[in-house]
Coordinates of all heavy atoms in Angstrom, one line a residue:
I1 N -10.7 -2.4 -11.4 CA -9.4 -3.0 -11.9 C -9.2 -2.9 -13.5 O -8.2 -2.6 -14.0 CB -9.3 -4.5 -11.5 CG1 -9.1 -4.6 -9.9 CG2 -8.2 -5.2 -12.2 CD1 -9.1 -5.9 -9.4
E2 N -10.3 -3.1 -14.2 CA -10.3 -3.1 -15.6 C -10.2 -1.6 -16.1 O -9.6 -1.5 -17.2 CB -11.5 -3.7 -16.3 CG -11.6 -5.3 -15.9 CD -12.9 -5.7 -16.5 OE1 -13.8 -5.1 -16.8 OE2 -13.0 -7.0 -16.6
T3 N -10.6 -0.7 -15.3 CA -10.5 0.7 -15.9 C -9.4 1.5 -15.5 O -9.0 2.4 -16.1 CB -11.9 1.4 -15.4 OG1 -13.0 0.7 -15.8 CG2 -12.0 2.7 -16.0
T4 N -8.8 1.2 -14.3 CA -7.8 2.0 -13.7 C -6.4 1.5 -14.0 O -6.1 0.3 -13.8 CB -8.0 2.1 -12.1 OG1 -9.3 2.4 -11.9 CG2 -7.0 3.1 -11.5
P5 N -5.5 2.3 -14.5 CA -4.1 1.9 -14.7 C -3.5 1.4 -13.4 O -3.7 2.0 -12.3 CB -3.4 3.1 -15.3 CG -4.5 4.0 -15.8 CD -5.6 3.8 -14.9
I6 N -2.6 0.5 -13.4 CA -2.0 0.0 -12.2 C -1.2 1.0 -11.3 O -1.2 0.9 -10.1 CB -1.0 -1.2 -12.5 CG1 -0.5 -1.9 -11.3 CG2 0.2 -0.6 -13.3 CD1 -1.6 -2.7 -10.5
E7 N -0.6 2.0 -12.0 CA 0.1 3.1 -11.3 C -0.7 4.0 -10.6 O -0.3 4.8 -9.7 CB 1.1 3.8 -12.3 CG 0.3 4.5 -13.4 CD 0.1 3.8 -14.6 OE1 0.3 2.5 -14.6 OE2 -0.2 4.3 -15.7
L8 N -2.0 4.0 -10.9 CA -3.0 4.9 -10.2 C -4.0 4.1 -9.3 O -4.8 4.8 -8.6 CB -3.9 5.6 -11.3 CG -3.3 6.7 -12.1 CD1 -4.2 7.2 -13.1 CD2 -2.8 7.8 -11.1
M9 N -3.8 2.8 -9.2 CA -4.8 2.0 -8.5 C -5.0 2.3 -7.1 O -6.0 2.5 -6.6 CB -4.4 0.5 -8.6 CG -5.3 -0.4 -8.2 SD -6.7 -0.6 -9.2 CE -6.1 -1.6 -10.6
G10 N -3.8 2.6 -6.4 CA -3.9 2.9 -5.0 C -4.7 4.0 -4.7 O -5.5 4.1 -3.8
R11 N -4.3 5.2 -5.4 CA -5.0 6.4 -5.1 C -6.6 6.4 -5.4 O -7.3 6.8 -4.8 CB -4.3 7.5 -6.0 CG -3.1 8.0 -5.4 CD -2.2 8.7 -6.4 NE -1.5 7.9 -7.3 CZ -0.8 8.2 -8.4 NH1 -0.7 9.4 -8.7 NH2 -0.1 7.3 -9.1
V12 N -6.9 5.7 -6.7 CA -8.2 5.7 -7.1 C -9.1 4.9 -6.1 O -10.2 5.3 -5.7 CB -8.4 5.1 -8.6 CG1 -9.8 4.9 -8.9 CG2 -7.7 6.1 -9.5
V13 N -8.6 3.7 -5.7 CA -9.3 2.8 -4.9 C -9.3 3.6 -3.4 O -10.4 3.4 -2.8 CB -8.5 1.5 -4.6 CG1 -9.2 0.7 -3.5 CG2 -8.7 0.7 -6.0
A14 N -8.4 4.3 -3.1 CA -8.4 5.0 -1.8 C -9.4 6.1 -1.7 O -10.1 6.3 -0.8 CB -7.0 5.5 -1.3
F15 N -9.5 6.9 -2.8 CA -10.5 7.9 -2.9 C -12.0 7.3 -2.8 O -12.8 7.9 -2.2 CB -10.3 8.7 -4.1 CG -9.4 10.0 -3.9 CD1 -8.1 10.0 -4.5 CD2 -9.8 11.0 -3.1 CE1 -7.4 11.1 -4.4 CE2 -8.9 12.1 -2.9 CZ -7.7 12.1 -3.6
R16 N -12.1 6.3 -3.5 CA -13.4 5.6 -3.5 C -13.7 5.2 -2.1 O -14.8 5.4 -1.6 CB -13.4 4.4 -4.4 CG -14.7 3.5 -4.2 CD -14.7 2.2 -4.9 NE -15.7 1.3 -4.5 CZ -17.0 1.3 -4.7 NH1 -17.4 2.3 -5.6 NH2 -17.9 0.5 -4.2
G17 N -12.8 4.6 -1.4 CA -12.9 4.1 0.0 C -13.3 5.2 0.9 O -14.0 5.1 1.7
S18 N -12.6 6.4 0.7 CA -12.9 7.6 1.5 C -14.3 8.0 1.5 O -15.0 8.2 2.5 CB -12.0 8.7 1.1 OG -10.7 8.5 1.6
L19 N -14.8 8.0 0.3 CA -16.2 8.5 0.1 C -17.3 7.4 0.6 O -18.2 7.8 1.3 CB -16.5 8.6 -1.5 CG -15.8 9.9 -2.1 CD1 -15.9 9.9 -3.6 CD2 -16.3 11.2 -1.5
V20 N -17.0 6.2 0.3 CA -17.9 5.1 0.7 C -17.8 5.0 2.3 O -18.9 4.9 2.9 CB -17.6 3.8 0.1 CG1 -18.5 2.7 0.6 CG2 -17.9 3.9 -1.5
F21 N -16.7 4.9 2.8 CA -16.5 4.7 4.2 C -16.9 5.9 4.9 O -17.4 5.9 6.2 CB -15.0 4.3 4.6 CG -14.8 2.9 4.5 CD1 -14.1 2.5 3.4 CD2 -15.2 2.0 5.4 CE1 -13.8 1.0 3.2 CE2 -14.9 0.6 5.3 CZ -14.3 0.2 4.2
G22 N -16.8 7.1 4.3 CA -17.3 8.3 5.0 C -18.8 8.3 5.1 O -19.3 8.6 6.3
A23 N -19.5 7.7 4.2 CA -21.0 7.6 4.3 C -21.3 6.5 5.4 O -22.2 6.7 6.2 CB -21.6 7.2 3.0
M24 N -20.5 5.5 5.4 CA -20.7 4.4 6.4 C -20.5 4.9 7.8 O -21.2 4.6 8.8 CB -19.8 3.2 6.1 CG -20.2 2.4 4.9 SD -19.0 1.2 4.4 CE -18.8 0.3 5.9
T25 N -19.5 5.8 7.9 CA -19.1 6.4 9.2 C -20.3 7.2 9.7 O -20.7 7.2 11.0 CB -17.8 7.2 9.1 OG1 -16.8 6.3 8.7 CG2 -17.5 7.8 10.5
L26 N -20.8 8.1 8.8 CA -22.0 8.9 9.2 C -23.2 8.2 9.6 O -23.8 8.4 10.6 CB -22.4 9.8 8.0 CG -23.6 10.6 8.2 CD1 -23.4 11.7 9.3 CD2 -23.9 11.4 6.8
A27 N -23.4 7.0 8.8 CA -24.5 6.0 9.2 C -24.2 5.4 10.6 O -25.2 5.3 11.4 CB -24.6 5.0 8.1
M28 N -23.1 5.1 10.9 CA -22.7 4.6 12.2 C -23.1 5.4 13.4 O -23.7 5.1 14.4 CB -21.3 4.1 12.3 CG -20.9 2.8 11.5 SD -19.2 2.4 11.8 CE -19.0 1.1 10.7
A29 N -22.6 6.7 13.2 CA -22.9 7.7 14.2 C -24.3 7.9 14.3 O -24.8 8.0 15.6 CB -22.1 9.0 13.8
I30 N -25.1 8.1 13.3 CA -26.5 8.4 13.4 C -27.3 7.1 13.9 O -28.1 7.4 14.9 CB -27.1 8.6 12.0 CG1 -26.5 10.0 11.4 CG2 -28.6 8.8 11.9 CD1 -26.9 10.2 10.0

């Protein structure tokens, strides 16, 4: 929140979520 401009917040948080949840998804499958 402190680093990201408000107009980019949705995209930046979503890209982070994709990477983190991608790893979690792989862990679930394994």
Side-chain angles (χ1 to χ4, degrees):
I1 289 176
E2 292 176 346
T3 307
T4 308
I6 189 68
E7 63 271 13
L8 289 172
M9 189 73 72
R11 282 163 281 177
V12 172
V13 170
F15 269 114
R16 171 189 164 78
S18 289
L19 292 171
V20 174
F21 277 101
M24 289 170 55
T25 300
L26 177 63
M28 285 182 184
I30 294 172

